[in-house]
């Protein structure tokens, strides 16, 4: 919260008294103190992120409500002070909306777009690209992306700004050829999302589009989707529904999408070794991929090991540790493996490739794709074999930079996508696939790993059931002794045993109540 850092540098929240900076308003001072407490808790990493999100939502609602009250009923002191109090409260509410929007909150982005639209209607400079891009993002059916605690924030604001700038730049280019519509209102297609219409084109968009679009590109970025001008122009109904390839993907066509910075390899290794101590050798290989990497990227490998030994859990934990959004693709029983690469737009059931869908959903050029149970995909070539379809996607230095998408009929740069394959055996996995994703023997968990594995399973049960640690405490010594029959290997029997322990707790609690 940069605004808070400027307004109250080094001032402790508990001793914050109303002063000239906040218009001598005690309520605003209290709201800012609450915001600083949230900020300091995040810096100290002493709070639960789910709880923090609720706190930010509550703070935003209170700030917005108080701003409306101040605006409707001005206080008795001077106008300068009244305006400072109102401005400070509105800014605080918008700061909270920025935080929520980067966590995928559509309502927060809608409020920010509405505020930018109001500023544009008042001829304030620089707001038009954001609200145009935000409206397009909100109109897309697949959403803003999914954010989970521990991952980088979703780059919603930067993406919206870039989309808006590109849209306005295309409009200006057409206007220069004499082919554009005459009014600014028509440049935004219609007012279905609440866009204000004007009788003539305003001068502000020209000032905005004079800036090079590349300036807004993230420090690490990649243009995944090229221009889609070759595709038929979709109707307004198709844009609303997103049911044509161009309508679905044009908002991020030619837009630089962010790449996740490469994390510290030692920190990633330490995190994974704590959760999977029996897989240190595997972790070392993946940590080595991050040494000197230009962005977060992992070489394709196939984890080969027995059923239920935690390969998929490890793959997903690895992607979380690296900071990559994850796409889990289950290959077991897939008989139309060719559809992994997408389906042609000549069919009514057209679709993008699985990695391209992930890029569209997360608005990130780098993500992780887990191909689970790779050896169990169907062997027929009638609808395409998955092991053959995957081959060009795994060549980051060559073919992955120009994967032809049949729905968009253009090559996409998917070189930022990392792949992790899992299999119970090498049988059924083709030689060319193993050549591109070399097999790595997944070690069995050991009996001495019981405390670590049982704690991880219990934590997963907490998340599934929405329980706090206070209501579902860690396993004690007696409970771990009850699990000592597990000798290592498959984690599924141990999970059933942990579930039985948790169920026994509940039974005991009910008996104690009587």
């Amino acid at each position: 919260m940069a605004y808070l850092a400027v307004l109250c540098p080094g001032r402790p929240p508990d001793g914050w008294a109303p002063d000239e900076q906040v218009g001598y308003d005690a309520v605003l001072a209290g709201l800012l103190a609450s915001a600083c407490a949230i900020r300091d808790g995040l810096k100290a990493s002493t709070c639960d992120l789910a709880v923090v999100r609720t706190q930010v939502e509550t703070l935003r609602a209170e700030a917005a409500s108080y701003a409306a009250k101040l605006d409707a009923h001005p206080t008795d002191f001077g106008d300068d002070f009244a305006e400072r109090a109102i401005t400070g409260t509105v800014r605080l509410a918008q700061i909270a909306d920025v935080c929520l929007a980067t966590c995928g909150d559509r309502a927060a982005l809608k409020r920010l777009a509405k505020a930018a639209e109001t500023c544009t209607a008042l001829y304030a400079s620089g707001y038009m690209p954001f609200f145009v891009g935000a409206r397009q993002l909100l109109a897309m059916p697949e959403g803003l992306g999914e954010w989970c605690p521990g991952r980088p924030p979703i780059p919603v604001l930067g993406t919206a700004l870039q989309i808006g700038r590109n849209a306005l730049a295309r409009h200006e280019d057409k206007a220069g050829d004499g082919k554009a519509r005459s009014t600014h209102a028509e440049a935004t297609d219609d007012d279905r999302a609440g866009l204000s219409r004007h009788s003539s084109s305003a001068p502000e968009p020209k000032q905005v589009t004079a800036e090079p679009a590349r300036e807004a590109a993230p420090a690490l970025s990649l243009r995944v989707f090229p221009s889609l001008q070759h595709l038929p122009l979709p109707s307004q109904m198709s844009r609303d529904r997103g049911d044509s390839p161009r309508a679905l993907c044009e908002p991020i066509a030619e837009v630089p999408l962010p790449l996740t910075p490469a994390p510290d390899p030692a920190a990633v290794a330490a995190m994974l070794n704590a959760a999977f101590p029996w897989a240190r050798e595997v972790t070392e290989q993946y940590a080595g991929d991050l040494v000197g990497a230009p962005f977060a990227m992992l070489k394709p490998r196939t984890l080969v090991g027995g059923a239920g030994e935690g390969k998929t859990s490890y793959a997903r934990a690895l992607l979380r540790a690296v900071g990559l959004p994850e796409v889990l693709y289950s290959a077991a029983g897939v008989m139309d493996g060719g559809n992994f690469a997408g389906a042609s737009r000549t069919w009514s059931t057209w679709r993008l490739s699985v990695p391209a869908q992930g890029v569209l959903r997360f608005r990130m050029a780098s993500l992780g794709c887990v191909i689970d149970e790779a050896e169990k995909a169907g062997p027929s070539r009638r609808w395409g074999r998955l092991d053959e379809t995957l081959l060009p996607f795994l060549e980051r230095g060559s073919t992955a930079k120009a994967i032809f998408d049949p729905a968009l009929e253009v090559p996409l740069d998917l070189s930022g996508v990392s792949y992790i394959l899992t299999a119970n055996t090498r049988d059924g996995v083709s030689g060319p696939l193993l050549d591109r994703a070399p097999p790595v023997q997944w070690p069995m968990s050991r009996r001495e790993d019981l405390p670590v594995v049982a704690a991880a399973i219990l934590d997963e049960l907490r998340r599934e059931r929405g329980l706090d640690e206070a209501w579902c405490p860690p396993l004690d010594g007696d409970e771990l002794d009850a699990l000592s029959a597990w000798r290592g290997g498959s984690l599924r029997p141990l999970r059933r045993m942990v579930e039985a322990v948790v169920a026994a707790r509940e039974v005991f609690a009910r008996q104690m109540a009587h």
Side-chain angles (χ1 to χ4, degrees):
M1 296 184 176
Y3 169 66
L4 296 177
V6 173
L7 188 60
C8 51
R11 194 182 304 187
D14 294 338
W16 202 346
D19 61 9
E20 183 179 350
Q21 284 184 301
V22 296
Y24 294 105
D25 191 285
V27 176
L28 174 55
L31 291 171
L32 289 171
S34 299
C36 286
I38 296 173
R39 178 198 63 186
D40 295 342
L42 285 170
K43 285 184 177 180
S45 301
T46 58
C47 49
D48 184 281
L49 292 178
V51 175
V52 171
R53 181 167 180 173
T54 302
Q55 292 174 341
V56 173
E57 290 172 346
T58 303
L59 179 65
R60 189 217 68 82
E62 292 176 351
S65 175
Y66 190 59
K69 181 179 178 180
L70 286 176
D71 193 38
H73 303 285
T75 51
D76 294 333
F77 45 77
D79 289 341
D80 264 355
F81 292 148
E83 185 165 343
R84 286 182 189 180
I86 294 173
T87 302
T89 313
V90 170
R91 283 180 178 175
L92 184 59
Q94 290 178 345
I95 287 169
D97 272 333
V98 169
C99 298
L100 295 171
T102 56
C103 294
D105 191 315
R106 294 179 63 87
L109 182 60
K110 187 174 182 180
R111 289 189 292 267
L112 292 172
K114 181 64 177 176
E117 177 188 355
T118 301
C119 293
T120 302
L122 296 173
Y123 297 100
S125 175
Y127 290 93
M128 182 178 290
F130 174 75
F131 96 74
V132 170
R135 293 298 188 192
Q136 291 195 34
L137 271 180
L138 290 165
M140 298 183 71
E142 73 280 355
L144 308 181
E146 298 176 4
W147 179 85
C148 292
R151 288 181 181 170
I154 301 172
V156 172
L157 304 184
T159 302
L161 184 61
Q162 190 62 48
I163 289 173
R165 283 178 171 168
N166 288 349
L168 292 173
R170 285 194 294 268
H171 172 61
E172 290 298 325
D173 290 342
K174 290 181 180 179
D177 296 335
K179 301 177 182 178
R181 299 167 180 171
S182 60
T183 66
H184 161 247
E186 290 172 327
T188 53
D189 288 331
D190 67 348
D191 59 353
R192 61 181 173 77
L195 301 180
S196 299
R197 292 185 177 272
H198 300 276
S199 59
S200 63
S201 182
E204 301 302 336
K206 294 183 179 179
Q207 298 175 8
V208 173
T209 54
E211 299 174 8
R214 292 186 180 181
E215 290 183 4
L220 288 172
S221 62
L222 186 68
R223 283 182 172 84
V224 179
F225 292 84
S227 170
L228 302 178
Q229 299 293 325
H230 65 288
L231 295 178
L233 190 66
S235 66
Q236 187 56 50
M237 183 176 296
S238 292
R239 292 183 185 276
D240 291 342
R241 297 185 306 192
D243 61 355
S244 81
R246 180 169 174 176
L248 182 65
C249 301
E250 193 167 40
I252 58 173
E254 302 182 272
V255 175
L257 298 177
L259 292 162
T260 302
D264 179 9
V268 172
M271 188 182 305
L272 292 171
N273 288 336
F276 300 89
W278 64 92
R280 291 179 178 273
E281 293 183 1
V282 178
T283 298
E284 286 178 5
Q285 295 186 49
Y286 281 113
D289 296 344
L290 302 172
V291 177
F295 57 89
M297 52 189 290
L298 302 171
K299 294 180 181 178
R301 294 181 178 86
T302 305
L303 302 180
V304 181
E309 293 184 357
K311 299 181 298 298
T312 306
S313 296
Y314 176 85
R316 302 182 70 180
L318 171 61
L319 294 178
R320 287 194 295 269
V322 174
L324 292 175
E326 64 184 70
V327 173
L328 179 61
Y329 183 87
S330 179
V334 170
M335 301 304 295
D336 54 350
N339 272 339
F340 182 90
S344 172
R345 75 179 184 90
T346 59
W347 298 91
S348 61
T349 54
W350 62 267
R351 61 193 293 272
L352 305 180
S353 67
V354 172
Q357 291 180 50
V359 171
L360 188 65
R361 174 153 52 105
F362 295 112
R363 297 295 194 277
M364 295 283 291
S366 57
L367 54 91
C369 189
V370 180
I371 312 296
D372 200 29
E373 309 283 4
E375 86 284 7
K376 296 182 177 63
S380 174
R381 286 184 172 174
R382 182 170 184 176
W383 295 288
R385 287 180 50 148
L386 178 62
D387 54 0
E388 295 177 344
T389 303
L390 285 172
L391 298 181
F393 290 87
L394 303 180
E395 296 280 6
R396 175 178 281 118
S398 55
T399 52
K401 293 183 177 181
I403 295 288
F404 185 83
D405 193 279
L408 300 175
E409 298 180 347
V410 289
L412 306 184
D413 190 344
L414 297 173
S415 58
V417 182
S418 298
Y419 299 89
I420 305 174
L421 285 68
T422 72
N424 295 141
T425 174
R426 298 187 190 186
D427 297 338
V429 184
S430 67
L433 181 59
L434 291 177
D435 181 58
R436 289 165 175 80
V440 176
Q441 188 61 42
W442 179 253
M444 291 178 55
S445 53
R446 305 156 300 185
R447 182 178 182 181
E448 56 265 31
D449 300 318
L450 172 61
V452 174
V453 180
I457 292 174
L458 183 62
D459 188 53
E460 184 178 351
L461 291 176
R462 287 196 198 102
R463 291 195 300 270
E464 290 177 358
R465 303 181 184 188
L467 297 175
D468 189 83
E469 186 172 339
W471 296 99
C472 187
L475 299 168
D476 59 27
D478 291 337
E479 290 171 332
L480 286 174
D481 288 342
L483 302 175
S484 60
W486 182 73
R487 304 294 181 181
S490 176
L491 305 183
R492 293 195 179 101
L494 180 59
R495 179 186 172 91
R496 290 191 287 268
M497 295 166 69
V498 174
E499 289 174 343
V501 169
V502 174
R505 286 178 176 180
E506 297 173 357
V507 172
F508 181 72
R510 286 196 297 268
Q511 291 176 346
M512 290 295 293
H514 298 289

